[in-house]
Amino acid sequence: MGHEIKVKEVTFADDSFYKTQRVHIGSKNFQTPIKALDLKRNVTGIKIPDTIKGINENYRMFNSKRIANLKTTNREQEINNEIANGFKKFGSADEVNICFAEFEENKIPNKDELEYLTNLSYVHSDITPLPLLPRVVRNITLSNFEQYHNFVKDAIKTIDESNNKPIMGVIPMPMPSAFLPQLLNTYLDSGITALCLDFQGSTVTSSKTKIRELVKLITRKNALEKFFTYSLNLGEGKLPKDKEVVAARDILSFGYGFDAMGGKHIKPRLPKEIWARIMSSRNIIENSLRLFNKQNYGYYRATKKETVDKIYPKDSNVPLTLLEAVKKNMNIDKVFNQEQQGLETVNLRTVIKEQHKLLKYLDKKEFVEKNDIKTLEKIKATK
């Protein structure tokens, strides 16, 4: 097992499961809560505020055919260069890099594929995440859980053959909660105290019972203040076409005990041509262009200039002119949202340390619903 992470300066909120802590990974460290920055979504010329820096994320998808092709052509080196250059272009040497590798097929990767996936994540990460198998875990049952469980053990063993970095375990949220104890024990037995919870597009509220179960399991091991938890592929909530503003539920994940919020990298499950027809006929693209407002935790539809002008904050480095023409500058909404979410995590650190009462802070946010506040209060675990 490689070097473990170290968690220091832990402060919990009094009324909820919000917390702030300093996480040390090798020679690098960062303060939580924190928004991981997807560097592929950054735009040259737009400065990332120094206050929100700390974790950089890169996400790659593979299948058997693509891996076989990579290993027999120079494309393998090109991908390595793309990832490394992305981290260098927008990141800095003191920031933590994490490279996630997803295997898209509905099967367990073979030995050669596992080697490639883990090697890619290892060489481009300061903490190595296990490979993600979204299609496999959607169909986990009592009869096939051991197959996935053995894959997890094999992945850890493969990384540990030559390793001087911590490992990040993966908890797939579509997996039934009955298998959480076995998976968590495997991670703890391997000295792993960093977990990525992969939501695969669902909201944090849809998994609240699983999250509470996981917190209780960790608490029973007296390991709560040693863990670092990372949410990935978290859904922002429903986006009704008749609503100009909807509640931003993804930002509430920190109230469930998460330390970091990663990006959303969900690939459409339908064929490209069918998906394109659906998107076009229902104006789904325009409806999905939403801007996060940290003042009230709302996601505003970004297709109207007057709306963008109204909510545009003074602390944004994203030019207003680009946001006003968001349909012509695809991806600029994501650049803006991760910037503003990052700035809000900085606000949360201050509130946790100085006020200790997060629910009162949330109650002032117009689009945080009373039921969500009650849930955050109920889910709090006894420390």
Coordinates of all heavy atoms in Angstrom, one line a residue, residues 16 55 80 82 147 181 189 194-195 204 210 230 280 323 341 367:
S16 N -25.3 20.2 11.5 CA -25.4 19.5 10.3 C -24.1 18.7 10.0 O -23.2 18.8 10.9 CB -25.7 20.4 9.1 OG -24.7 21.3 8.9
I55 N -7.8 21.2 -6.4 CA -7.9 19.9 -7.0 C -8.3 20.1 -8.5 O -9.2 20.9 -8.9 CB -9.0 19.1 -6.4 CG1 -8.8 18.9 -4.9 CG2 -9.1 17.7 -7.1 CD1 -9.9 18.1 -4.2
N80 N -1.6 10.7 -23.3 CA -0.8 11.1 -22.2 C -0.4 12.5 -22.3 O -0.4 13.3 -21.3 CB 0.5 10.2 -22.2 CG 0.2 8.8 -21.6 OD1 -0.6 8.7 -20.7 ND2 0.9 7.8 -22.2
E82 N -2.0 14.9 -24.0 CA -3.2 15.8 -23.8 C -3.5 16.0 -22.3 O -3.8 17.1 -21.9 CB -4.4 15.1 -24.4 CG -4.4 15.1 -25.9 CD -5.5 14.3 -26.5 OE1 -6.4 13.8 -25.8 OE2 -5.5 14.0 -27.8
Q147 N -18.2 -10.8 -8.3 CA -17.4 -10.6 -9.5 C -16.9 -9.1 -9.5 O -15.7 -8.9 -9.8 CB -18.3 -10.8 -10.7 CG -17.5 -10.7 -12.0 CD -18.4 -10.9 -13.3 OE1 -19.6 -10.9 -13.2 NE2 -17.8 -11.2 -14.4
P181 N -21.0 -2.6 3.3 CA -20.1 -3.0 4.3 C -18.9 -3.8 3.8 O -17.8 -3.6 4.2 CB -21.0 -3.9 5.2 CG -22.3 -3.4 5.0 CD -22.4 -3.0 3.6
D189 N -9.3 -2.3 5.0 CA -8.2 -3.4 5.1 C -7.0 -3.1 4.3 O -5.9 -3.5 4.5 CB -8.8 -4.8 4.8 CG -9.8 -5.3 5.8 OD1 -9.9 -4.7 6.9 OD2 -10.6 -6.2 5.4
A194 N -9.8 7.3 1.3 CA -10.3 8.3 0.4 C -11.3 7.6 -0.5 O -11.0 6.5 -1.1 CB -9.2 8.9 -0.5
L195 N -12.5 8.1 -0.6 CA -13.6 7.5 -1.4 C -14.2 8.5 -2.4 O -14.5 9.6 -2.1 CB -14.7 7.0 -0.4 CG -14.4 5.9 0.5 CD1 -15.7 5.6 1.4 CD2 -14.0 4.6 -0.2
V204 N -28.0 13.9 -5.0 CA -27.5 13.5 -3.7 C -28.7 13.1 -2.8 O -28.6 12.1 -2.0 CB -26.7 14.6 -3.0 CG1 -27.5 15.8 -2.7 CG2 -26.0 14.1 -1.8
K210 N -28.4 5.7 1.6 CA -27.1 5.0 1.3 C -26.0 5.8 2.0 O -25.0 5.3 2.5 CB -26.8 4.8 -0.2 CG -27.7 3.8 -0.8 CD -27.3 3.6 -2.3 CE -28.3 2.7 -3.0 NZ -28.0 2.6 -4.5
Y230 N -15.4 12.3 -2.0 CA -15.4 13.0 -3.3 C -16.6 12.6 -4.0 O -16.8 11.4 -4.3 CB -14.1 12.7 -4.0 CG -13.8 13.4 -5.3 CD1 -12.7 14.3 -5.3 CD2 -14.5 13.2 -6.5 CE1 -12.3 15.0 -6.4 CE2 -14.1 13.9 -7.6 CZ -13.0 14.8 -7.6 OH -12.6 15.5 -8.7
S280 N -32.9 18.3 -30.1 CA -33.3 19.3 -31.0 C -34.8 19.6 -30.9 O -35.3 20.7 -30.8 CB -33.0 19.0 -32.5 OG -33.5 19.9 -33.4
L323 N -21.1 35.1 -21.6 CA -22.3 34.5 -21.0 C -23.6 35.0 -21.7 O -24.5 34.2 -21.8 CB -22.3 34.8 -19.5 CG -21.3 34.2 -18.6 CD1 -21.4 34.7 -17.2 CD2 -21.5 32.7 -18.6
Q341 N -19.3 27.9 -8.0 CA -19.4 26.8 -7.0 C -18.1 26.8 -6.2 O -18.2 26.6 -4.9 CB -19.6 25.5 -7.7 CG -21.0 25.3 -8.3 CD -21.1 24.2 -9.2 OE1 -20.1 23.6 -9.7 NE2 -22.4 23.8 -9.6
F367 N -33.7 29.4 -2.8 CA -34.1 28.2 -3.5 C -33.7 26.9 -2.8 O -33.7 25.8 -3.4 CB -33.6 28.2 -5.0 CG -34.2 29.3 -5.8 CD1 -33.6 30.5 -6.1 CD2 -35.5 29.1 -6.3 CE1 -34.2 31.5 -6.8 CE2 -36.1 30.1 -7.0 CZ -35.5 31.3 -7.3

